[in-house]
Amino acid sequence: MSEREGPGSSGSQDNGEKGMRIPNQSGPSGPSYFASEPITFRVRGSTITGASPPKFVTLEDIMKAAHGMQNMALAHEIAVDQDFKLEPFEPPDNRAILEALEILKLDLANTLIAMIRPHVQKESVQYERTKFDEMLKVSEDGLQHTRQWLLRHIDKSDLSLPISDVNIIRNVTAQTLAKAYLELLEWDDSKTYPETLHIDKPRFTELGIQVYRLVCVASLLLVSPSCGEQTTHKQKLKEKIFIIMDTTSNDIELKQILPSVAEEVVLETDQLLETLGQAPLTNETKDVIRSQILSLRDNEHRVRQIVRQRVLEFLKMVLVCAGGARQVPVGLSAFTNELTSVSGTLLRYVMHNKAVFTSHYMDIITEELSKN
């Protein structure tokens, strides 16, 4: 929520052009003027509902909305994060009795959180919706970046505009949201995050890193020697590569660890061949393996692009048709557990977000589809 102009402007007359009105004061300047009349701020209507007469909100309204957003964030954390708990306070080595009291209070607080979580989950959708709508009332356009985010993903190529059919609008909304949520997993930081997802940005960022690692490890496994149908070897190699990539989150870091991955693949393959009683890798073959693995530093690499596309298509299918069995993409059967974990987490985040904000999303898409 962007700040509007505050009480620091000079003069005591009505300043309508600036959207702020400060009451005339006969007494000395200072914070005491709040006692007679609150500062009011001009807020224009949202572009979703069309033009509306200017309205005024008080500073008290703005502070209440801000406080409500903080409470909303806490309720959201408890509802969405199954592992949410308060962290212990680290007292000085000398506050021992106080330390024991802090531990007791923390245990009690976390027990209460666990007890009320089912109730919070049940009520948080309406609570978050109410608090967000209160914020919109004191914001000039609290959905500006959400609108830009959605409009990037509306596909009008097969549509005959304008559209008023509710079923078509719902279908377009489902398809648009699925693609829009996937963008969050590969977010371009030069863009401003959607207002409706600001609370969940760290979650989608972390999930995006998991998807990135999944794509990279699957690509590395595909360009490594297959050694026939040795599933145990593939599973062991996959786990080793995941360990090496444990802190890797982008292509710069990937480039740095690929040589280590290459050596691990060569080592594991040689050990497997020895176990099978076969001849070890020649130096020439080892160089080929290293070259193939190092080539994956290019994000346009054909194998990386295919794996990425298959993973994202799988996740999109899960979002569009929530529930039911989904076939694991070709070539990714070794990553069934990882795909299941990522898609389940993504679906949980998305379903909660849609429950809170779908009405706003449909308003934006409906308005866009109503244009010629």
mmCIF file of all heavy atoms in Angstrom, residues 287-328:
data_model
loop_
_atom_site.group_PDB
_atom_site.id
_atom_site.type_symbol
_atom_site.label_atom_id
_atom_site.label_comp_id
_atom_site.label_asym_id
_atom_site.label_seq_id
_atom_site.Cartn_x
_atom_site.Cartn_y
_atom_site.Cartn_z
ATOM 1 N N ASP A 287 35.749 -37.649 -20.875
ATOM 2 C CA ASP A 287 35.737 -36.274 -21.390
ATOM 3 C C ASP A 287 34.404 -35.943 -22.055
ATOM 4 O O ASP A 287 33.909 -34.814 -21.945
ATOM 5 C CB ASP A 287 36.884 -36.079 -22.388
ATOM 6 C CG ASP A 287 38.244 -36.035 -21.712
ATOM 7 O OD1 ASP A 287 38.285 -35.781 -20.495
ATOM 8 O OD2 ASP A 287 39.261 -36.268 -22.399
ATOM 9 N N VAL A 288 33.824 -36.933 -22.735
ATOM 10 C CA VAL A 288 32.511 -36.719 -23.366
ATOM 11 C C VAL A 288 31.447 -36.471 -22.304
ATOM 12 O O VAL A 288 30.607 -35.568 -22.436
ATOM 13 C CB VAL A 288 32.121 -37.933 -24.244
ATOM 14 C CG1 VAL A 288 30.669 -37.813 -24.711
ATOM 15 C CG2 VAL A 288 33.046 -38.051 -25.446
ATOM 16 N N ILE A 289 31.489 -37.271 -21.223
ATOM 17 C CA ILE A 289 30.519 -37.102 -20.136
ATOM 18 C C ILE A 289 30.665 -35.716 -19.517
ATOM 19 O O ILE A 289 29.664 -35.012 -19.288
ATOM 20 C CB ILE A 289 30.725 -38.192 -19.064
ATOM 21 C CG1 ILE A 289 30.382 -39.569 -19.632
ATOM 22 C CG2 ILE A 289 29.874 -37.885 -17.832
ATOM 23 C CD1 ILE A 289 30.703 -40.717 -18.688
ATOM 24 N N ARG A 290 31.890 -35.311 -19.238
ATOM 25 C CA ARG A 290 32.135 -33.987 -18.658
ATOM 26 C C ARG A 290 31.614 -32.884 -19.580
ATOM 27 O O ARG A 290 30.990 -31.917 -19.115
ATOM 28 C CB ARG A 290 33.620 -33.801 -18.391
ATOM 29 C CG ARG A 290 34.198 -34.722 -17.322
ATOM 30 C CD ARG A 290 35.645 -34.388 -17.030
ATOM 31 N NE ARG A 290 36.231 -35.297 -16.041
ATOM 32 C CZ ARG A 290 37.096 -36.258 -16.342
ATOM 33 N NH1 ARG A 290 37.505 -36.433 -17.593
ATOM 34 N NH2 ARG A 290 37.590 -37.032 -15.387
ATOM 35 N N SER A 291 31.877 -33.026 -20.866
ATOM 36 C CA SER A 291 31.450 -32.012 -21.832
ATOM 37 C C SER A 291 29.925 -31.903 -21.879
ATOM 38 O O SER A 291 29.365 -30.799 -21.924
ATOM 39 C CB SER A 291 32.008 -32.348 -23.213
ATOM 40 O OG SER A 291 31.536 -31.442 -24.181
ATOM 41 N N GLN A 292 29.247 -33.047 -21.855
ATOM 42 C CA GLN A 292 27.779 -33.044 -21.903
ATOM 43 C C GLN A 292 27.183 -32.375 -20.672
ATOM 44 O O GLN A 292 26.217 -31.610 -20.756
ATOM 45 C CB GLN A 292 27.262 -34.481 -22.021
ATOM 46 C CG GLN A 292 27.508 -35.121 -23.378
ATOM 47 C CD GLN A 292 27.017 -36.564 -23.422
ATOM 48 O OE1 GLN A 292 26.939 -37.239 -22.397
ATOM 49 N NE2 GLN A 292 26.699 -37.034 -24.616
ATOM 50 N N ILE A 293 27.771 -32.656 -19.520
ATOM 51 C CA ILE A 293 27.258 -32.076 -18.274
ATOM 52 C C ILE A 293 27.529 -30.579 -18.212
ATOM 53 O O ILE A 293 26.647 -29.783 -17.858
ATOM 54 C CB ILE A 293 27.863 -32.807 -17.068
ATOM 55 C CG1 ILE A 293 27.274 -34.218 -17.001
ATOM 56 C CG2 ILE A 293 27.589 -32.037 -15.775
ATOM 57 C CD1 ILE A 293 27.846 -35.077 -15.913
ATOM 58 N N LEU A 294 28.731 -30.169 -18.580
ATOM 59 C CA LEU A 294 29.069 -28.745 -18.549
ATOM 60 C C LEU A 294 28.227 -27.937 -19.534
ATOM 61 O O LEU A 294 27.978 -26.744 -19.310
ATOM 62 C CB LEU A 294 30.559 -28.546 -18.850
ATOM 63 C CG LEU A 294 31.535 -29.079 -17.786
ATOM 64 C CD1 LEU A 294 32.975 -28.869 -18.232
ATOM 65 C CD2 LEU A 294 31.295 -28.395 -16.446
ATOM 66 N N SER A 295 27.754 -28.566 -20.607
ATOM 67 C CA SER A 295 26.948 -27.846 -21.595
ATOM 68 C C SER A 295 25.594 -27.417 -21.038
ATOM 69 O O SER A 295 24.942 -26.517 -21.577
ATOM 70 C CB SER A 295 26.736 -28.707 -22.845
ATOM 71 O OG SER A 295 25.920 -29.843 -22.557
ATOM 72 N N LEU A 296 25.175 -28.022 -19.922
ATOM 73 C CA LEU A 296 23.878 -27.681 -19.321
ATOM 74 C C LEU A 296 23.897 -26.339 -18.597
ATOM 75 O O LEU A 296 22.874 -25.904 -18.079
ATOM 76 C CB LEU A 296 23.440 -28.781 -18.353
ATOM 77 C CG LEU A 296 22.945 -30.077 -19.014
ATOM 78 C CD1 LEU A 296 22.752 -31.162 -17.980
ATOM 79 C CD2 LEU A 296 21.653 -29.842 -19.773
ATOM 80 N N ARG A 297 25.066 -25.679 -18.551
ATOM 81 C CA ARG A 297 25.100 -24.336 -17.968
ATOM 82 C C ARG A 297 24.301 -23.341 -18.798
ATOM 83 O O ARG A 297 23.890 -22.285 -18.309
ATOM 84 C CB ARG A 297 26.545 -23.845 -17.840
ATOM 85 C CG ARG A 297 27.273 -23.695 -19.170
ATOM 86 C CD ARG A 297 28.710 -23.231 -18.935
ATOM 87 N NE ARG A 297 29.472 -23.161 -20.183
ATOM 88 C CZ ARG A 297 30.182 -24.157 -20.669
ATOM 89 N NH1 ARG A 297 30.228 -25.318 -20.007
ATOM 90 N NH2 ARG A 297 30.856 -24.035 -21.794
ATOM 91 N N ASP A 298 24.047 -23.674 -20.065
ATOM 92 C CA ASP A 298 23.254 -22.830 -20.965
ATOM 93 C C ASP A 298 21.777 -23.093 -20.715
ATOM 94 O O ASP A 298 21.302 -24.218 -20.903
ATOM 95 C CB ASP A 298 23.625 -23.148 -22.415
ATOM 96 C CG ASP A 298 22.828 -22.308 -23.413
ATOM 97 O OD1 ASP A 298 22.130 -21.363 -22.982
ATOM 98 O OD2 ASP A 298 22.894 -22.610 -24.622
ATOM 99 N N ASN A 299 21.035 -22.055 -20.286
ATOM 100 C CA ASN A 299 19.611 -22.270 -19.991
ATOM 101 C C ASN A 299 18.774 -22.507 -21.237
ATOM 102 O O ASN A 299 17.599 -22.853 -21.142
ATOM 103 C CB ASN A 299 19.034 -21.108 -19.180
ATOM 104 C CG ASN A 299 19.114 -19.786 -19.907
ATOM 105 O OD1 ASN A 299 19.428 -19.712 -21.097
ATOM 106 N ND2 ASN A 299 18.844 -18.713 -19.190
ATOM 107 N N GLU A 300 19.378 -22.322 -22.425
ATOM 108 C CA GLU A 300 18.682 -22.633 -23.665
ATOM 109 C C GLU A 300 19.014 -24.036 -24.159
ATOM 110 O O GLU A 300 18.617 -24.424 -25.260
ATOM 111 C CB GLU A 300 19.062 -21.611 -24.749
ATOM 112 C CG GLU A 300 18.633 -20.177 -24.430
ATOM 113 C CD GLU A 300 17.127 -20.033 -24.357
ATOM 114 O OE1 GLU A 300 16.430 -20.750 -25.103
ATOM 115 O OE2 GLU A 300 16.653 -19.217 -23.541
ATOM 116 N N HIS A 301 19.755 -24.785 -23.368
ATOM 117 C CA HIS A 301 20.104 -26.160 -23.739
ATOM 118 C C HIS A 301 18.834 -26.947 -24.036
ATOM 119 O O HIS A 301 17.851 -26.871 -23.292
ATOM 120 C CB HIS A 301 20.885 -26.813 -22.588
ATOM 121 C CG HIS A 301 21.513 -28.121 -22.944
ATOM 122 N ND1 HIS A 301 20.792 -29.285 -23.083
ATOM 123 C CD2 HIS A 301 22.811 -28.460 -23.182
ATOM 124 C CE1 HIS A 301 21.608 -30.276 -23.381
ATOM 125 N NE2 HIS A 301 22.844 -29.800 -23.452
ATOM 126 N N ARG A 302 18.860 -27.711 -25.106
ATOM 127 C CA ARG A 302 17.650 -28.403 -25.570
ATOM 128 C C ARG A 302 17.059 -29.317 -24.496
ATOM 129 O O ARG A 302 15.843 -29.328 -24.279
ATOM 130 C CB ARG A 302 17.983 -29.219 -26.828
ATOM 131 C CG ARG A 302 16.800 -29.962 -27.424
ATOM 132 C CD ARG A 302 15.709 -29.025 -27.858
ATOM 133 N NE ARG A 302 14.598 -29.730 -28.499
ATOM 134 C CZ ARG A 302 13.399 -29.217 -28.658
ATOM 135 N NH1 ARG A 302 13.135 -27.983 -28.231
ATOM 136 N NH2 ARG A 302 12.445 -29.907 -29.252
ATOM 137 N N VAL A 303 17.913 -30.071 -23.813
ATOM 138 C CA VAL A 303 17.406 -30.989 -22.783
ATOM 139 C C VAL A 303 16.771 -30.205 -21.631
ATOM 140 O O VAL A 303 15.683 -30.558 -21.159
ATOM 141 C CB VAL A 303 18.548 -31.886 -22.258
ATOM 142 C CG1 VAL A 303 18.069 -32.735 -21.077
ATOM 143 C CG2 VAL A 303 19.062 -32.796 -23.371
ATOM 144 N N ARG A 304 17.432 -29.129 -21.186
ATOM 145 C CA ARG A 304 16.865 -28.308 -20.107
ATOM 146 C C ARG A 304 15.526 -27.717 -20.503
ATOM 147 O O ARG A 304 14.582 -27.676 -19.698
ATOM 148 C CB ARG A 304 17.828 -27.178 -19.728
ATOM 149 C CG ARG A 304 18.888 -27.565 -18.726
ATOM 150 C CD ARG A 304 19.726 -26.372 -18.309
ATOM 151 N NE ARG A 304 18.964 -25.372 -17.557
ATOM 152 C CZ ARG A 304 19.487 -24.267 -17.055
ATOM 153 N NH1 ARG A 304 20.779 -24.003 -17.240
ATOM 154 N NH2 ARG A 304 18.747 -23.416 -16.378
ATOM 155 N N GLN A 305 15.406 -27.263 -21.721
ATOM 156 C CA GLN A 305 14.158 -26.663 -22.176
ATOM 157 C C GLN A 305 13.026 -27.688 -22.225
ATOM 158 O O GLN A 305 11.890 -27.397 -21.839
ATOM 159 C CB GLN A 305 14.356 -26.024 -23.554
ATOM 160 C CG GLN A 305 15.138 -24.722 -23.530
ATOM 161 C CD GLN A 305 14.423 -23.651 -22.712
ATOM 162 O OE1 GLN A 305 13.259 -23.363 -22.932
ATOM 163 N NE2 GLN A 305 15.141 -23.075 -21.748
ATOM 164 N N ILE A 306 13.342 -28.900 -22.677
ATOM 165 C CA ILE A 306 12.317 -29.952 -22.744
ATOM 166 C C ILE A 306 11.855 -30.338 -21.345
ATOM 167 O O ILE A 306 10.651 -30.459 -21.074
ATOM 168 C CB ILE A 306 12.864 -31.181 -23.500
ATOM 169 C CG1 ILE A 306 13.051 -30.850 -24.982
ATOM 170 C CG2 ILE A 306 11.912 -32.368 -23.347
ATOM 171 C CD1 ILE A 306 13.716 -31.952 -25.781
ATOM 172 N N VAL A 307 12.821 -30.533 -20.433
ATOM 173 C CA VAL A 307 12.468 -30.916 -19.058
ATOM 174 C C VAL A 307 11.653 -29.808 -18.393
ATOM 175 O O VAL A 307 10.633 -30.081 -17.738
ATOM 176 C CB VAL A 307 13.737 -31.220 -18.243
ATOM 177 C CG1 VAL A 307 13.389 -31.442 -16.771
ATOM 178 C CG2 VAL A 307 14.440 -32.452 -18.798
ATOM 179 N N ARG A 308 12.099 -28.567 -18.545
ATOM 180 C CA ARG A 308 11.377 -27.441 -17.961
ATOM 181 C C ARG A 308 9.939 -27.388 -18.476
ATOM 182 O O ARG A 308 8.989 -27.209 -17.700
ATOM 183 C CB ARG A 308 12.089 -26.133 -18.296
ATOM 184 C CG ARG A 308 11.327 -24.875 -17.901
ATOM 185 C CD ARG A 308 12.060 -23.625 -18.348
ATOM 186 N NE ARG A 308 11.239 -22.434 -18.153
ATOM 187 C CZ ARG A 308 10.338 -22.001 -19.041
ATOM 188 N NH1 ARG A 308 10.156 -22.667 -20.180
ATOM 189 N NH2 ARG A 308 9.615 -20.921 -18.779
ATOM 190 N N GLN A 309 9.771 -27.539 -19.783
ATOM 191 C CA GLN A 309 8.436 -27.495 -20.373
ATOM 192 C C GLN A 309 7.551 -28.606 -19.828
ATOM 193 O O GLN A 309 6.376 -28.377 -19.510
ATOM 194 C CB GLN A 309 8.539 -27.597 -21.895
ATOM 195 C CG GLN A 309 7.191 -27.538 -22.597
ATOM 196 C CD GLN A 309 7.325 -27.656 -24.115
ATOM 197 O OE1 GLN A 309 8.433 -27.752 -24.652
ATOM 198 N NE2 GLN A 309 6.210 -27.660 -24.806
ATOM 199 N N ARG A 310 8.098 -29.795 -19.682
ATOM 200 C CA ARG A 310 7.311 -30.920 -19.177
ATOM 201 C C ARG A 310 6.921 -30.722 -17.720
ATOM 202 O O ARG A 310 5.784 -31.044 -17.319
ATOM 203 C CB ARG A 310 8.086 -32.221 -19.354
ATOM 204 C CG ARG A 310 8.213 -32.662 -20.804
ATOM 205 C CD ARG A 310 9.041 -33.927 -20.955
ATOM 206 N NE ARG A 310 9.153 -34.313 -22.361
ATOM 207 C CZ ARG A 310 9.889 -35.335 -22.801
ATOM 208 N NH1 ARG A 310 10.566 -36.076 -21.942
ATOM 209 N NH2 ARG A 310 9.936 -35.610 -24.094
ATOM 210 N N VAL A 311 7.836 -30.192 -16.921
ATOM 211 C CA VAL A 311 7.530 -29.947 -15.506
ATOM 212 C C VAL A 311 6.444 -28.889 -15.368
ATOM 213 O O VAL A 311 5.473 -29.063 -14.618
ATOM 214 C CB VAL A 311 8.798 -29.522 -14.743
ATOM 215 C CG1 VAL A 311 8.438 -29.020 -13.343
ATOM 216 C CG2 VAL A 311 9.780 -30.679 -14.636
ATOM 217 N N LEU A 312 6.579 -27.782 -16.100
ATOM 218 C CA LEU A 312 5.591 -26.702 -16.011
ATOM 219 C C LEU A 312 4.232 -27.132 -16.555
ATOM 220 O O LEU A 312 3.187 -26.737 -16.013
ATOM 221 C CB LEU A 312 6.096 -25.461 -16.751
ATOM 222 C CG LEU A 312 7.323 -24.774 -16.135
ATOM 223 C CD1 LEU A 312 7.717 -23.544 -16.948
ATOM 224 C CD2 LEU A 312 7.055 -24.372 -14.681
ATOM 225 N N GLU A 313 4.226 -27.936 -17.615
ATOM 226 C CA GLU A 313 2.948 -28.430 -18.145
ATOM 227 C C GLU A 313 2.262 -29.341 -17.131
ATOM 228 O O GLU A 313 1.037 -29.313 -16.980
ATOM 229 C CB GLU A 313 3.181 -29.188 -19.451
ATOM 230 C CG GLU A 313 3.432 -28.289 -20.651
ATOM 231 C CD GLU A 313 2.212 -27.451 -21.012
ATOM 232 O OE1 GLU A 313 1.078 -27.928 -20.802
ATOM 233 O OE2 GLU A 313 2.390 -26.305 -21.480
ATOM 234 N N PHE A 314 3.053 -30.147 -16.429
ATOM 235 C CA PHE A 314 2.499 -31.008 -15.386
ATOM 236 C C PHE A 314 1.880 -30.169 -14.264
ATOM 237 O O PHE A 314 0.759 -30.435 -13.820
ATOM 238 C CB PHE A 314 3.603 -31.908 -14.830
ATOM 239 C CG PHE A 314 3.158 -32.800 -13.703
ATOM 240 C CD1 PHE A 314 2.503 -33.995 -13.955
ATOM 241 C CD2 PHE A 314 3.397 -32.442 -12.374
ATOM 242 C CE1 PHE A 314 2.085 -34.823 -12.915
ATOM 243 C CE2 PHE A 314 2.984 -33.252 -11.330
ATOM 244 C CZ PHE A 314 2.329 -34.448 -11.599
ATOM 245 N N LEU A 315 2.607 -29.138 -13.841
ATOM 246 C CA LEU A 315 2.093 -28.276 -12.774
ATOM 247 C C LEU A 315 0.852 -27.509 -13.234
ATOM 248 O O LEU A 315 -0.095 -27.330 -12.454
ATOM 249 C CB LEU A 315 3.181 -27.303 -12.320
ATOM 250 C CG LEU A 315 4.407 -27.927 -11.652
ATOM 251 C CD1 LEU A 315 5.440 -26.858 -11.315
ATOM 252 C CD2 LEU A 315 4.027 -28.698 -10.396
ATOM 253 N N LYS A 316 0.842 -27.074 -14.483
ATOM 254 C CA LYS A 316 -0.323 -26.371 -15.000
ATOM 255 C C LYS A 316 -1.547 -27.279 -15.006
ATOM 256 O O LYS A 316 -2.659 -26.864 -14.652
ATOM 257 C CB LYS A 316 -0.048 -25.860 -16.415
ATOM 258 C CG LYS A 316 -1.224 -25.121 -17.027
ATOM 259 C CD LYS A 316 -0.940 -24.691 -18.468
ATOM 260 C CE LYS A 316 -2.172 -24.038 -19.088
ATOM 261 N NZ LYS A 316 -1.935 -23.674 -20.506
ATOM 262 N N MET A 317 -1.351 -28.535 -15.403
ATOM 263 C CA MET A 317 -2.462 -29.481 -15.422
ATOM 264 C C MET A 317 -3.023 -29.691 -14.026
ATOM 265 O O MET A 317 -4.237 -29.774 -13.820
ATOM 266 C CB MET A 317 -1.976 -30.819 -15.994
ATOM 267 C CG MET A 317 -3.104 -31.786 -16.350
ATOM 268 S SD MET A 317 -2.496 -33.428 -16.846
ATOM 269 C CE MET A 317 -0.971 -33.038 -17.674
ATOM 270 N N VAL A 318 -2.138 -29.733 -13.032
ATOM 271 C CA VAL A 318 -2.573 -29.891 -11.651
ATOM 272 C C VAL A 318 -3.405 -28.690 -11.207
ATOM 273 O O VAL A 318 -4.430 -28.830 -10.529
ATOM 274 C CB VAL A 318 -1.350 -30.064 -10.724
ATOM 275 C CG1 VAL A 318 -1.763 -29.975 -9.258
ATOM 276 C CG2 VAL A 318 -0.670 -31.403 -10.986
ATOM 277 N N LEU A 319 -2.984 -27.470 -11.617
ATOM 278 C CA LEU A 319 -3.702 -26.258 -11.207
ATOM 279 C C LEU A 319 -5.057 -26.126 -11.898
ATOM 280 O O LEU A 319 -6.033 -25.701 -11.283
ATOM 281 C CB LEU A 319 -2.849 -25.027 -11.508
ATOM 282 C CG LEU A 319 -1.539 -24.895 -10.704
ATOM 283 C CD1 LEU A 319 -0.833 -23.606 -11.088
ATOM 284 C CD2 LEU A 319 -1.816 -24.918 -9.209
ATOM 285 N N VAL A 320 -5.111 -26.473 -13.174
ATOM 286 C CA VAL A 320 -6.366 -26.336 -13.926
ATOM 287 C C VAL A 320 -7.376 -27.382 -13.493
ATOM 288 O O VAL A 320 -8.569 -27.108 -13.359
ATOM 289 C CB VAL A 320 -6.108 -26.436 -15.444
ATOM 290 C CG1 VAL A 320 -7.429 -26.459 -16.217
ATOM 291 C CG2 VAL A 320 -5.258 -25.260 -15.903
ATOM 292 N N CYS A 321 -6.907 -28.603 -13.275
ATOM 293 C CA CYS A 321 -7.798 -29.708 -12.896
ATOM 294 C C CYS A 321 -7.349 -30.261 -11.560
ATOM 295 O O CYS A 321 -6.751 -31.349 -11.495
ATOM 296 C CB CYS A 321 -7.779 -30.801 -13.956
ATOM 297 S SG CYS A 321 -8.107 -30.236 -15.628
ATOM 298 N N ALA A 322 -7.583 -29.523 -10.502
ATOM 299 C CA ALA A 322 -7.143 -29.934 -9.169
ATOM 300 C C ALA A 322 -7.772 -31.268 -8.786
ATOM 301 O O ALA A 322 -8.955 -31.508 -9.005
ATOM 302 C CB ALA A 322 -7.512 -28.865 -8.144
ATOM 303 N N GLY A 323 -6.976 -32.144 -8.200
ATOM 304 C CA GLY A 323 -7.470 -33.452 -7.785
ATOM 305 C C GLY A 323 -7.331 -34.483 -8.889
ATOM 306 O O GLY A 323 -7.149 -34.163 -10.063
ATOM 307 N N GLY A 324 -7.395 -35.756 -8.507
ATOM 308 C CA GLY A 324 -7.298 -36.825 -9.480
ATOM 309 C C GLY A 324 -5.850 -37.180 -9.781
ATOM 310 O O GLY A 324 -4.916 -36.451 -9.477
ATOM 311 N N ALA A 325 -5.666 -38.338 -10.423
ATOM 312 C CA ALA A 325 -4.327 -38.817 -10.750
ATOM 313 C C ALA A 325 -3.787 -38.093 -11.978
ATOM 314 O O ALA A 325 -4.524 -37.764 -12.900
ATOM 315 C CB ALA A 325 -4.351 -40.320 -10.992
ATOM 316 N N ARG A 326 -2.484 -37.861 -11.991
ATOM 317 C CA ARG A 326 -1.820 -37.199 -13.112
ATOM 318 C C ARG A 326 -0.627 -38.043 -13.530
ATOM 319 O O ARG A 326 0.149 -38.506 -12.705
ATOM 320 C CB ARG A 326 -1.343 -35.792 -12.719
ATOM 321 C CG ARG A 326 -2.477 -34.838 -12.404
ATOM 322 C CD ARG A 326 -3.252 -34.443 -13.652
ATOM 323 N NE ARG A 326 -4.419 -33.642 -13.307
ATOM 324 C CZ ARG A 326 -5.633 -34.136 -13.133
ATOM 325 N NH1 ARG A 326 -5.814 -35.445 -13.243
ATOM 326 N NH2 ARG A 326 -6.645 -33.355 -12.840
ATOM 327 N N GLN A 327 -0.491 -38.261 -14.840
ATOM 328 C CA GLN A 327 0.616 -39.059 -15.342
ATOM 329 C C GLN A 327 1.919 -38.274 -15.267
ATOM 330 O O GLN A 327 1.992 -37.116 -15.684
ATOM 331 C CB GLN A 327 0.359 -39.483 -16.790
ATOM 332 C CG GLN A 327 1.439 -40.379 -17.368
ATOM 333 C CD GLN A 327 1.102 -40.857 -18.763
ATOM 334 O OE1 GLN A 327 0.017 -40.594 -19.267
ATOM 335 N NE2 GLN A 327 2.028 -41.573 -19.376
ATOM 336 N N VAL A 328 2.959 -38.902 -14.739
ATOM 337 C CA VAL A 328 4.265 -38.265 -14.655
ATOM 338 C C VAL A 328 4.818 -38.093 -16.067
ATOM 339 O O VAL A 328 4.728 -39.009 -16.889
ATOM 340 C CB VAL A 328 5.233 -39.122 -13.815
ATOM 341 C CG1 VAL A 328 6.635 -38.542 -13.823
ATOM 342 C CG2 VAL A 328 4.717 -39.242 -12.386
#
